[in-house]
């Protein structure tokens, strides 16, 4: 599966201008993200896509059509990647932003942007179907978890491992549907049961702790807590000589640090987008009813893009 080509027209930008330079840089980063996406390295593709978004902040004029086209295209990439990561709630939030950005772009050039509107509709349908399927599976999983709980309480020791795995699967499904709070609770209970069963921290507990921290990263107020969890579990990964887990933990800590460092910049970026939208609306309100409206996009996202 490949990402759709970005709907930007470079010839509309003066060669050598800041806009042209920024667009070329964004396109280069996006090409790297697309290559990672094709090899199913979705986490790496997401990082590269967010890097492209950061580069886009250097654009001088946020009301420019090519800027809006690039922003919409990158947000579509990120929504697709989150879908492939089974983070359906986040993907859905990004689709809502995309529709807001698409409306004014369609008024400017329907032929150019209509394909993206169709693709966004298709992705929205895929998200709804996947969430419904996951919710159905989650309901069955919770029944199974309840049965296993009864066995554990009755003293059936062998049922504990099955209960831990059932709770882990339940937490994973909750995260996919957007119930991050419920997912964290299930992960915490599963980790507690697993440690009680084995009396030590095994690879399974480290794996679940990493997954729990990843879920917590969806909430900005939990970033510090998730970083503390990852830092604490890193020593266990080292003791287990699990290079893959060590690398994943370090990568997530770096992501958290980057998110915290760039948060003020995202707020400034969003403020500029909203200011440009207000200016455009003001200009349009001053156009006579029989005059040709200014064909500049006026929509802007309500919130800054989530960084993973």
């Amino acid at each position: 599966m490949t990402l759709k080509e970005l709907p930007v027209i470079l010839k509309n930008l003066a060669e050598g201008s800041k806009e042209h330079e920024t667009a070329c840089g964004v396109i280069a980063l996006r090409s790297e993200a697309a290559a990672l996406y094709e090899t199913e390295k979705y986490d790496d593709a997401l990082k590269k896509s967010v890097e492209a978004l950061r580069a886009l902040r250097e654009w001088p004029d946020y009301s420019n059509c090519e800027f809006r086209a690039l922003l919409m295209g990158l947000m579509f990439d990120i929504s697709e990647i989150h879908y492939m990561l089974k983070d359906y709630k986040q993907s859905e939030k990004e689709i809502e932003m995309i529709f807001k950005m698409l409306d004014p772009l369609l008024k400017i050039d329907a032929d150019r942007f209509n394909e993206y509107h169709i693709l966004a509709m298709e992705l929205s349908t895929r998200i709804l179907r996947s969430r419904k399927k996951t919710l159905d599976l989650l309901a069955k999983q919770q029944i199974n978890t309840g049965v296993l709980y009864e066995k554990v309480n009755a003293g059936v020791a062998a049922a504990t491992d099955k209960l831990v795995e059932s709770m882990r699967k339940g937490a994973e499904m909750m995260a996919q549907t957007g119930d991050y709070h419920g997912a964290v609770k299930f992960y915490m209970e599963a980790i507690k049961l697993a440690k009680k069963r084995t009396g030590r921290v095994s690879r399974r507990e480290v794996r679940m702790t990493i997954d729990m921290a990843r879920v917590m990263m969806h909430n900005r107020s939990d970033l510090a807590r998730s970083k503390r969890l990852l830092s604490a579990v890193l020593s266990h990964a080292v003791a287990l000589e699990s290079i893959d887990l060590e690398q994943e933990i370090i990568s997530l800590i770096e992501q958290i640090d980057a998110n915290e460092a760039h948060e003020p910049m995202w707020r400034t970026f969003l403020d500029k987008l909203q200011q440009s939208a207000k200016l455009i609306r003001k200009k349009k309100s001053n156009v006579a009813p029989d005059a040709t409206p200014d064909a500049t996009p006026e929509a802007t996202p309500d919130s800054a893009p989530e960084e993973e």
Side-chain angles (χ1 to χ4, degrees):
M1 194 170 180
T2 59
L3 294 174
K4 179 67 181 171
E5 185 178 348
L6 289 173
V8 64
I9 301 176
L10 284 176
K11 68 180 182 180
N12 288 346
L13 304 170
E15 193 169 347
S17 65
K18 182 65 175 177
E19 290 89 345
H20 190 276
E21 179 186 333
T22 302
C24 289
V26 168
I27 291 169
L29 288 168
R30 199 276 187 159
S31 296
E32 294 179 43
L36 291 164
Y37 182 88
E38 288 178 17
T39 56
E40 299 183 6
K41 295 179 180 178
Y42 301 124
D43 282 322
D44 292 333
L46 184 58
K47 290 179 191 175
K48 194 59 67 173
S49 296
V50 170
E51 189 179 341
L53 270 179
R54 288 172 181 161
L56 194 59
R57 292 188 303 218
E58 299 300 318
W59 199 284
D61 179 12
Y62 288 175
S63 65
N64 181 273
C65 179
E66 302 309 320
F67 165 82
R68 298 277 172 152
L70 275 172
L71 177 61
M72 184 274 298
L74 289 174
M75 287 306 302
F76 189 85
D77 288 353
I78 291 173
S79 185
E80 276 280 13
I81 294 169
H82 274 130
Y83 176 82
M84 298 306 293
L85 288 169
K86 297 184 178 180
D87 191 348
Y88 303 129
K89 182 177 181 180
Q90 186 60 41
S91 183
E92 189 173 37
K93 283 171 63 178
E94 286 147 2
I95 279 291
E96 289 172 1
M97 292 173 63
I98 289 165
F99 279 124
K100 288 182 180 180
M101 289 184 270
L102 268 171
D103 283 344
L105 289 173
L106 287 167
K107 293 175 183 176
I108 296 171
D109 192 339
D111 291 337
R112 179 178 169 189
F113 297 108
N114 188 55
E115 186 176 7
Y116 259 94
H117 189 268
I118 294 170
L119 289 171
M121 290 290 288
E122 290 175 349
L123 178 55
S124 181
T125 301
R126 277 189 280 143
I127 293 168
L128 289 173
R129 286 175 180 170
S130 296
R131 286 189 73 177
K132 183 179 183 304
K133 183 179 178 181
T134 303
L135 285 169
D136 290 343
L137 290 171
L138 178 59
K140 295 176 183 177
Q141 189 67 32
Q142 287 176 324
I143 292 171
N144 183 49
T145 300
V147 172
L148 289 168
Y149 249 122
E150 291 176 3
K151 290 184 178 181
V152 170
N153 291 334
V156 182
T160 302
D161 284 336
K162 291 182 179 179
L163 176 58
V164 169
E165 181 60 17
S166 180
M167 296 197 75
R168 186 198 66 77
K169 287 182 180 178
E172 190 177 77
M173 290 178 189
M174 286 179 179
Q176 289 172 9
T177 60
D179 184 3
Y180 303 128
H181 180 69
V184 169
K185 287 179 67 176
F186 262 55
Y187 273 126
M188 289 177 68
E189 185 66 16
I191 292 167
K192 185 173 75 173
L193 284 168
K195 288 171 71 175
K196 185 177 179 180
R197 172 83 170 87
T198 62
R200 61 188 177 85
V201 178
S202 67
R203 181 185 173 88
R204 179 170 66 172
E205 285 80 62
V206 175
R207 175 72 267 166
M208 287 192 292
T209 303
I210 294 171
D211 292 340
M212 181 172 70
R214 189 185 287 274
V215 172
M216 291 168 66
M217 286 170 63
H218 284 87
N219 189 341
R220 285 188 172 88
S221 63
D222 283 337
L223 284 177
R225 186 182 169 200
S226 60
K227 183 179 178 179
R228 287 195 299 271
L229 273 174
L230 291 166
S231 298
V233 83
L234 179 58
S235 60
H236 294 291
V238 172
L240 292 167
E241 298 182 353
S242 299
I243 302 299
D244 57 329
L245 294 181
E246 287 180 50
Q247 291 175 338
E248 186 174 355
I249 291 168
I250 292 169
S251 176
L252 288 174
I253 290 173
E254 289 174 349
Q255 285 182 45
I256 291 170
D257 289 340
N259 288 350
E260 290 176 336
H262 285 275
E263 177 65 18
M265 296 181 187
W266 278 125
R267 292 185 184 279
T268 302
F269 181 58
L270 177 59
D271 287 343
K272 287 183 178 179
L273 279 173
Q274 292 174 334
Q275 288 168 11
S276 67
K278 288 178 183 177
L279 181 61
I280 294 164
R281 283 195 293 270
K282 185 176 180 180
K283 285 181 179 179
K284 286 189 175 183
S285 66
N286 293 329
V287 176
D290 58 341
T292 302
D294 182 5
T296 312
E298 60 181 343
T300 183
D302 292 328
S303 58
E306 293 286 340
E307 294 188 51
E308 293 294 320

